[in-house]
Amino acid sequence: MSEESKPRSPGCLSRIFSLFLFLAAVGLFVALYFVAQPQDLSDIKGYGSSKPPRDLTLALRNAQERGYPLTISEEDLNTWLSHTLEAKQGGVLGSKVELKGVAIRLEKDRAEVILERTIFGKPFTSSMYVRIEKLETSAGRETLVHRDGGEFVKDLPRLKKGGRLGRLVVPQGVLVLLLPSFGDLKTQFSSEIELAVESMARVTIEDDKLELDPREPGESDGLLPGTF
């Protein structure tokens, strides 16, 4: 007869549990370390620029009214934001938190909207990824704004990259507490967002540029140049 397997000793289970707690603590410490490290924004073109901005509101209106495509570079966008943003911080910690600025990094198929703050004098960044999708439905064209930057892992399509706290990429659900701050930005620039996103038939986000076109697919491309 084969011998019965001996039950695992309580001491072994205790060591396994202790190891698990140790690894969890190390993982939490590493995550907090990267959260505390602000993003490097030096690669974002136009952020903090003091040069006169391009009038994007006028450019958007002209493209919409005259029906021609428009290209907005990352530098154009961030230079304009640097001059038009009303940077203020409200809430309970308003006196201890300062909003330094807002930067937008344009990458293939997504934009990263970054808030740069100081909290008790220490630099801190938080960001949200945004993707824009245009759908043709029986009711007409529909604009979908996705608050994510794509999948974390292909095998887990529902787990989306929401943005970053410091340098740590976090899931979409973690950014719930930051939604009011991004909502304030949406309110401040509601007319520009309407012109650039809702009213355009085609919106394409590329590396360092935003391609906008008010014309429906199939309409003539031989009008005015898109770099107004």
Side-chain angles (χ1 to χ4, degrees):
M1 295 179 63
S2 60
E3 295 183 2
E4 294 183 2
S5 59
K6 295 181 180 181
R8 188 170 292 175
S9 67
C12 181
L13 291 175
S14 176
R15 286 193 293 273
I16 293 174
F17 184 66
S18 297
L19 178 61
F20 172 79
L21 289 180
F22 173 75
L23 293 176
V26 170
L28 179 60
F29 175 80
V30 172
L32 290 175
Y33 171 80
F34 282 106
V35 166
Q37 304 301 308
Q39 277 197 54
D40 180 6
L41 305 180
S42 61
D43 66 304
I44 300 180
K45 298 177 179 64
Y47 180 56
S49 174
S50 59
K51 77 175 191 178
R54 178 184 181 189
D55 190 338
L56 294 187
T57 305
L58 178 61
L60 287 166
R61 285 203 184 107
N62 285 341
Q64 186 63 241
E65 292 172 1
R66 300 175 188 177
Y68 59 80
L70 176 69
T71 297
I72 298 176
S73 70
E74 185 179 272
E75 182 176 12
D76 289 336
L77 186 57
N78 285 294
T79 302
W80 179 77
L81 275 174
S82 296
H83 286 77
T84 58
L85 177 70
E86 295 178 9
K88 59 182 179 179
Q89 179 69 40
V92 177
L93 296 176
S95 61
K96 304 297 181 183
V97 180
E98 181 183 359
L99 179 60
K100 303 289 289 185
V102 176
I104 298 181
R105 180 183 285 117
L106 298 177
E107 302 173 312
K108 177 67 174 175
D109 296 328
R110 73 183 185 189
E112 184 179 10
V113 184
I114 306 160
L115 306 182
E116 183 185 20
R117 295 185 174 97
T118 57
I119 301 178
F120 295 99
K122 301 291 184 181
F124 178 75
T125 58
S126 57
S127 71
M128 176 183 289
Y129 290 124
V130 176
R131 295 184 298 113
I132 299 171
E133 183 179 10
K134 295 283 186 176
L135 296 178
E136 294 296 330
T137 67
S138 57
R141 186 176 64 247
E142 182 179 359
T143 302
L144 299 180
V145 179
H146 303 282
R147 296 190 185 97
D148 70 73
E151 303 167 357
F152 259 110
V153 184
K154 288 186 178 180
D155 294 335
L156 298 172
R158 296 197 175 201
L159 184 62
K160 306 288 189 181
K161 298 176 181 178
R164 286 193 268 188
L165 296 179
R167 298 186 181 185
L168 182 70
V169 179
V170 296
Q172 197 174 24
V174 175
L175 297 180
V176 171
L177 296 176
L178 300 177
L179 287 178
S181 297
F182 290 100
D184 291 342
L185 287 176
K186 182 178 179 181
T187 300
Q188 186 175 159
F189 298 108
S190 58
S191 60
E192 288 80 9
I193 291 173
E194 168 67 25
L195 287 168
V197 178
E198 298 291 342
S199 299
M200 293 291 174
R202 287 175 279 179
V203 178
T204 306
I205 304 175
E206 300 285 355
D207 289 331
D208 300 330
K209 65 182 178 179
L210 189 62
E211 301 281 3
L212 308 171
D213 198 333
R215 301 167 301 174
E216 297 295 336
E219 290 186 33
S220 172
D221 290 332
L223 300 178
L224 297 177
T227 54
F228 173 83

